[in-house]
Amino acid sequence: MKSRTKVVVIGGGIAGCSTLYHLTQEGWSDVVLVERNELTSGTTWHSAAQVTNFGMNQTMVGLKSHSIRLYKELADDPDYPINYHHADGGIRLANTEAQMQGYRHFTSMARGMDVHFEVIDAEECARRHPLISTDNLVGGLWDPLDGDIDPAQLCQALARRARKAGAEVYRNTPVTGLVQHSDDTWTVQTEHGDIDCDIVVNACGYRVNEVGAMMGVQHPVASMEHQYFLTEEIAAIRDAGHRMPLLRCPISDYYCRQEKNGLLVGFYEQDCKTWGMDGIDPNFVNALCPDDLDRVTDVLEGAFARMPALMEVGIHTVVNGPITYTIDGAPLVGPIPGKRNAFCIIGLRAGLGEGGGHGWLLAQQIVHGEACYDTWCLDPRRFTGHANVELTALKAIEDYQNEFRFHFPHEHRPAGRPAKTTPLTPVLAAEGAEFTVVNGWERVDYIKPHPEFEPTLGFDFDESFDIVASEVQNVQTNVGLAEVNGFNRIEITGSDRHAFLDRVFCGTVTKREGRVGLGYLLNHHGMIKAEATVANLPASDRGPARVWYGSAAASEYHDMDWLDQHLRADEDVCLRSLTNDQTILVLAGPNARAVLAGCARGDWSADAFPWLSVRECFVGIAPATVMNLSFSGELAYEIHVPNSSLYAAYLALRQAGCVFDMRLFGARAVESMRMEKGFLHWKADLITEFDPYETGLARFVKPQKGDFIGREALVERREKGPSKCLVTLSVQTDQAPAHGGASVMQEGRVVGTVTSGEWGHRTGLNLAYAFVEPDCADIGTKHEIDMCGTRVEAMIIAPSPYDSQFERMQS
């Protein structure tokens, strides 16, 4: 074995083999894979190995398209061909119009990635798959490139190509320990000797946390037992003259595909079972769990009703093996939180179908620091401190039970809730709050009119529309109060704090005490990495002179990692997270100043405490830090309060607000108002695929200020001109918002993609943000948006259609 290499990939399934191969494709040949047994001896060997193009967002569609192209290339390799049934086609069934509406949305979204699905009716489903019944069937989604592949051959082919490019593979080499050194390099200890390396990759399938424990981390990955069986020969398949398309059925929770002249039929039963929660036998290799077909009886009955031919054929083989899940069902592909030079590619429940693309995106991140797509939907840092084993198991069960049922907009399933709360959560629940979930936090979505209120799930505006409109009107004309919990807050102290921030922000960062600024951080490619507010707090009895760095709740681990990794050894800078210690109460509306003055001593006039000011005070008896900031476009204050005093501050504000009949408002009202103001949402409108010029943030960029992260690349990009431009659209329908991913069309051609959409209750406009081609980005240009299969006219308008001069928030 080598004693020194650049990267060690641990795990020889599809995740590890794909990563190794793609590292060589990105130009790194000094890379090694170690596997405790033989290649594909974990989940990979018993995978049903379906290769679909369907994904819930454009990143997932893109990585699946890469997998399909790669697998087709491997299958056609004359020197080492592999078995890949390419483009048999596949159908996802539906028995409700709401599901069909979702399929139309995903069709629009995929078109932007040059992937072409087809929404078909029940009769066409049966014509393309003659073994199914149309009873209780509305239609389905047709994926023309659906297929399946031989798992072992695929991994061997990837490993073979990696070896030819210079990589090495060590089988039967268990890892026994991982040691990280002061220079952030690693030593991978194995039974056959140690390997020193710069970077380590955990690709260990269901043994992910055995290796995770060696580096002191716990990954939110749990395994589920999953069963499928192979049938005897079916005459209708043998005599069809073509391969049967694949089938996925959310109605009866099963899938099937052709296997020789029979079927492979898999089940996602409601009475499902976790696996390996208390440890995994070290001898569990190329092994299966005991058969348990009794557990899938209810699902099997549904499959019989949909495919009567199953009742006439025998079972040839039963397979029951573990597959891995994460909290939201999507894999964890990227940097390991809190670690340097450590990556993972884990939780791949559909590993064979997606694994080619996952390894591709991970290799790009390792070699270049970023992938060609924004990978937040896969990023391991999207889960934070709440992501324990118990929560992961509950969400894995829930996701398994709903395998083929996509999430509707505003749908938050109940398992594992509440994961994160504040002292106000039960108080707000008693006030009638309906909660959404943000990074595990229970955050108020809106206030229900009565306890039984439950809006219809779908892609149209729902019954909460008028409720949200009323909350917005109250904020516009009076005063409202909202809790914003989980907001990412990092305290930065030290004499070099301002120089450090100046280096990581692309614009000018205010250094004045008592003042707040907004800015953007770029990656080394000049693309948007993060958005943050910077508040300068003077020394007081609450602490030394310091900066509060504030950003989106979801960015808690992401931003801390980025800042920490760019600290220089000679800098006097200390980072400390306050995210879980404090909560924000937002007071917004023209009467906000009067309410604040009614419960907090001091002069709160516009002259004494203008826009973008910060001040420490007491709200009632609660210590608080108040910032004159607004995400709504109205006069507003962010009141940051320690959680131990949060209820006291809330009571003081409610009492002061009684004279104005102050009301609560929630996240949906905020979403409506921020779109009217042109304010952008991190990881919806602010993504790593675009730079600040393309995103309309040129005013926040100051290349002339000197060196900052991404400056050189950004200057080069600006000289080349934009690839896309973010625009604001007025959508000509009052039936539904434009959902993220929807295609923007010009004369039948896709010219852009929607990032956000919502009704603006103050402007009466149905608003959308979208990245479009530069020659289609002028104000007044008319487009069409494919909204769930209907082409709706939309016109580009000027940003910030509500109070474009920002006068109300500075009043």
Side-chain angles (χ1 to χ4, degrees):
M1 288 200 318
K2 282 185 173 183
S3 60
R4 185 71 174 82
T5 189
K6 195 164 187 65
V7 182
V8 172
V9 179
I10 308 171
I14 180 59
C17 291
S18 177
T19 301
L20 188 75
Y21 165 74
H22 283 99
L23 283 170
T24 66
Q25 294 299 293
E26 296 299 326
W28 285 12
S29 58
D30 183 16
V31 291
V32 162
L33 183 148
V34 293
E35 161 57 41
R36 70 191 302 274
N37 196 262
E38 295 289 344
L39 297 185
T40 76
S41 60
T43 294
T44 299
W45 78 270
H46 61 74
S47 168
Q50 300 169 103
V51 184
T52 177
N53 223 357
F54 180 81
M56 300 297 291
N57 54 59
Q58 288 192 328
T59 295
M60 294 299 292
V61 171
L63 68 84
K64 291 184 179 189
S65 293
H66 175 83
S67 294
I68 290 171
R69 290 191 298 269
L70 172 62
Y71 298 171
K72 184 67 167 62
E73 178 189 338
L74 293 172
D76 294 339
D77 185 343
D79 295 329
Y80 195 87
I82 64 175
N83 293 324
Y84 175 30
H85 298 119
H86 174 260
D88 287 347
I91 310 173
R92 292 174 184 269
L93 301 179
N95 65 338
T96 69
E97 282 298 335
Q99 289 172 311
M100 293 292 285
Q101 189 182 33
Y103 289 160
R104 294 184 185 98
H105 167 68
F106 295 125
T107 298
S108 172
M109 178 267 295
R111 190 182 295 114
M113 301 298 289
D114 198 27
V115 170
H116 301 280
F117 298 140
E118 185 181 355
V119 179
I120 57 179
D121 61 22
E123 288 68 29
E124 185 62 17
C125 290
R127 190 189 72 78
R128 298 187 188 190
H129 200 307
L131 296 183
I132 68 171
S133 162
T134 58
D135 291 346
N136 190 33
L137 184 64
V138 175
L141 178 75
W142 172 259
D143 174 3
L145 296 183
D146 218 337
D148 67 273
I149 198 165
D150 184 295
Q153 289 183 0
L154 170 59
C155 290
Q156 294 290 352
L158 291 169
R160 173 179 174 271
R161 286 194 171 192
R163 287 192 190 99
K164 287 182 68 175
E168 296 190 16
V169 176
Y170 306 137
R171 298 170 297 120
N172 299 304
T173 306
V175 172
T176 58
L178 292 169
V179 178
Q180 190 164 30
H181 306 289
S182 59
D183 62 355
D184 297 325
T185 62
W186 292 85
T187 295
V188 180
Q189 300 169 337
T190 81
E191 289 187 359
H192 303 312
D194 295 349
I195 309 173
D196 294 326
C197 62
D198 296 329
I199 295 167
V200 66
V201 177
N202 187 341
C204 293
Y206 52 68
R207 294 190 184 273
V208 53
N209 278 313
E210 294 179 9
V211 171
M214 296 178 190
M215 63 173 67
V217 299
Q218 173 74 44
H219 296 286
V221 175
S223 295
M224 302 292 299
E225 288 190 17
H226 178 60
Q227 294 186 96
Y228 64 79
F229 63 62
L230 307 176
T231 73
E232 301 285 359
E233 182 176 271
I234 298 174
I237 293 178
R238 180 194 63 210
D239 300 336
H242 61 84
R243 286 184 60 81
M244 289 288 165
L246 290 81
L247 198 70
R248 296 171 182 84
C249 182
I251 308 164
S252 301
D253 297 306
Y254 82 99
Y255 63 88
C256 71
R257 66 167 176 83
Q258 183 170 335
E259 179 68 16
K260 297 182 179 178
N261 286 325
L263 289 174
L264 183 155
V265 186
F267 306 97
Y268 290 96
E269 70 279 7
Q270 297 302 295
D271 185 23
C272 54
K273 186 178 179 182
T274 58
W275 179 86
M277 291 285 290
D278 297 316
I280 302 169
D281 186 336
N283 297 314
F284 191 87
V285 176
N286 279 317
L288 294 171
C289 310
D291 300 347
D292 190 6
L293 288 181
D294 289 343
R295 203 169 70 227
V296 302
T297 300
D298 56 335
V299 184
L300 190 56
E301 289 175 354
F304 285 162
R306 182 63 58 204
M307 300 181 71
L310 289 175
M311 292 186 284
E312 310 297 329
V313 66
I315 296 175
H316 179 275
T317 305
V318 178
V319 173
N320 183 18
I323 58 176
T324 56
Y325 279 76
T326 67
I327 288 176
D328 62 1
L332 304 176
V333 180
I336 295 175
K339 295 293 177 181
R340 296 193 183 192
N341 293 340
F343 295 80
C344 61
I345 176 168
I346 53 180
L348 276 63
R349 80 177 194 272
L352 263 294
E354 304 172 351
H358 289 312
W360 176 54
L361 294 180
L362 181 60
Q364 291 178 56
Q365 293 179 68
I366 293 171
V367 175
H368 307 297
E370 211 76 69
C372 57
Y373 304 137
D374 188 287
T375 56
W376 182 245
C377 63
L378 308 171
D379 198 303
R381 297 165 298 188
R382 69 186 188 273
F383 304 122
T384 57
H386 63 295
N388 55 42
V389 173
E390 285 70 21
L391 175 64
T392 306
L394 289 173
K395 298 303 289 186
I397 291 168
E398 182 180 64
D399 211 53
Y400 186 95
Q401 293 170 331
N402 291 278
E403 177 68 26
F404 299 129
R405 285 184 280 276
F406 55 80
H407 279 78
F408 285 98
H410 304 299
E411 179 185 9
H412 298 288
R413 293 172 181 168
R417 295 179 65 186
K420 294 181 183 177
T421 61
T422 74
L424 288 187
T425 304
V427 177
L428 296 170
E431 296 265 15
E434 176 68 22
F435 293 94
T436 184
V437 180
V438 182
N439 189 25
W441 291 95
E442 296 288 330
R443 186 177 292 180
V444 176
D445 209 16
Y446 55 87
I447 304 300
K448 296 183 288 188
H450 53 80
E452 293 75 32
F453 180 78
E454 188 172 338
T456 305
L457 291 176
F459 288 80
D460 294 341
F461 291 120
D462 62 31
E463 294 86 346
S464 68
F465 185 90
D466 291 338
I467 297 170
V468 175
S470 178
E471 291 181 7
V472 171
Q473 183 184 32
N474 176 67
V475 171
Q476 181 187 20
T477 61
N478 183 27
V479 60
L481 182 66
E483 180 192 56
V484 180
N485 49 23
F487 186 76
N488 184 40
R489 184 183 294 97
I490 300 172
E491 183 179 83
I492 306 175
T493 54
S495 60
D496 295 324
R497 63 190 183 279
H498 292 302
F500 168 66
L501 290 171
D502 201 46
R503 195 175 74 251
V504 297
F505 278 83
C506 66
T508 302
V509 182
T510 180
K511 301 176 178 63
R512 289 173 54 197
E513 288 189 346
R515 297 297 291 168
V516 183
L518 175 68
Y520 295 86
L521 295 79
L522 309 182
N523 61 28
H524 293 90
H525 303 282
M527 309 301 216
I528 290 179
K529 189 71 174 178
E531 175 192 62
T533 56
V534 171
N536 295 294
L537 298 172
S540 70
D541 57 358
R542 300 183 192 177
R546 60 209 181 277
V547 169
W548 275 10
Y549 170 108
S551 56
S555 71
E556 180 184 353
Y557 281 4
H558 174 279
D559 285 15
M560 179 61 88
D561 273 359
W562 185 257
L563 294 176
D564 180 69
Q565 289 168 11
H566 288 90
L567 282 176
R568 292 175 178 166
D570 60 350
E571 284 183 311
D572 177 25
V573 176
C574 180
L575 307 175
R576 182 168 72 104
S577 176
L578 301 178
T579 299
N580 298 295
D581 300 333
Q582 302 218 7
T583 295
I584 300 173
L585 296 173
V586 172
L587 192 64
N591 289 321
R593 179 177 289 113
V595 173
L596 182 60
C599 59
R601 287 184 294 114
D603 184 352
W604 297 101
S605 67
D607 291 335
F609 193 67
W611 183 52
L612 299 181
S613 296
V614 58
R615 176 192 297 177
E616 292 178 332
C617 67
F618 287 86
V619 172
I621 61 172
T625 302
V626 179
M627 301 182 196
N628 188 338
L629 289 175
S630 177
F631 202 51
S632 63
E634 306 294 343
L635 173 66
Y637 302 97
E638 286 186 2
I639 304 170
H640 300 244
V641 185
N643 284 334
S644 58
S645 304
L646 186 62
Y647 185 45
Y650 175 79
L651 291 177
L653 287 164
R654 290 305 300 265
Q655 183 175 2
C658 282
V659 66
F660 298 101
D661 190 25
M662 182 176 70
R663 293 170 50 197
L664 300 174
F665 66 100
R668 290 208 205 177
V670 173
E671 182 70 4
S672 169
M673 292 186 285
R674 71 98 181 171
M675 290 206 64
E676 291 179 307
K677 285 304 302 166
F679 297 151
L680 307 182
H681 197 293
W682 189 68
K683 292 309 178 189
D685 318 304
L686 300 167
I687 59 177
T688 58
E689 294 176 33
F690 301 104
D691 64 41
Y693 297 121
E694 294 169 317
T695 314
L697 299 170
R699 65 191 184 279
F700 292 98
V701 183
K702 297 291 185 289
Q704 67 276 16
K705 77 171 189 174
D707 190 36
F708 56 83
I709 295 171
R711 181 184 181 279
E712 185 176 338
L714 182 63
V715 170
E716 291 181 5
R717 288 186 59 82
R718 187 178 190 181
E719 291 173 354
K720 293 178 181 178
S723 61
K724 294 283 180 68
C725 296
L726 187 69
V727 299
T728 304
L729 293 153
S730 174
V731 186
Q732 301 305 300
T733 179
D734 59 5
Q735 180 178 341
H739 295 280
S743 287
V744 180
M745 315 286 293
Q746 182 69 256
E747 297 179 353
R749 183 175 66 91
V750 177
V751 297
T753 299
V754 170
T755 59
S756 297
E758 190 54 83
W759 186 269
H761 290 282
R762 295 172 297 189
T763 58
L765 297 175
N766 191 354
L767 297 168
Y769 298 157
F771 280 102
V772 301
E773 295 176 359
D775 58 356
C776 301
D778 292 338
I779 292 174
T781 303
K782 292 183 178 180
H783 296 282
E784 290 181 327
I785 301 177
D786 182 348
M787 295 174 57
C788 298
T790 300
R791 303 284 178 89
V792 177
E793 184 177 302
M795 185 176 72
I796 297 177
I797 62 174
S800 190
Y802 180 75
D803 186 27
S804 61
Q805 300 304 307
F806 290 62
E807 294 174 349
R808 294 178 66 89
M809 57 196 292
Q810 300 182 54
S811 60

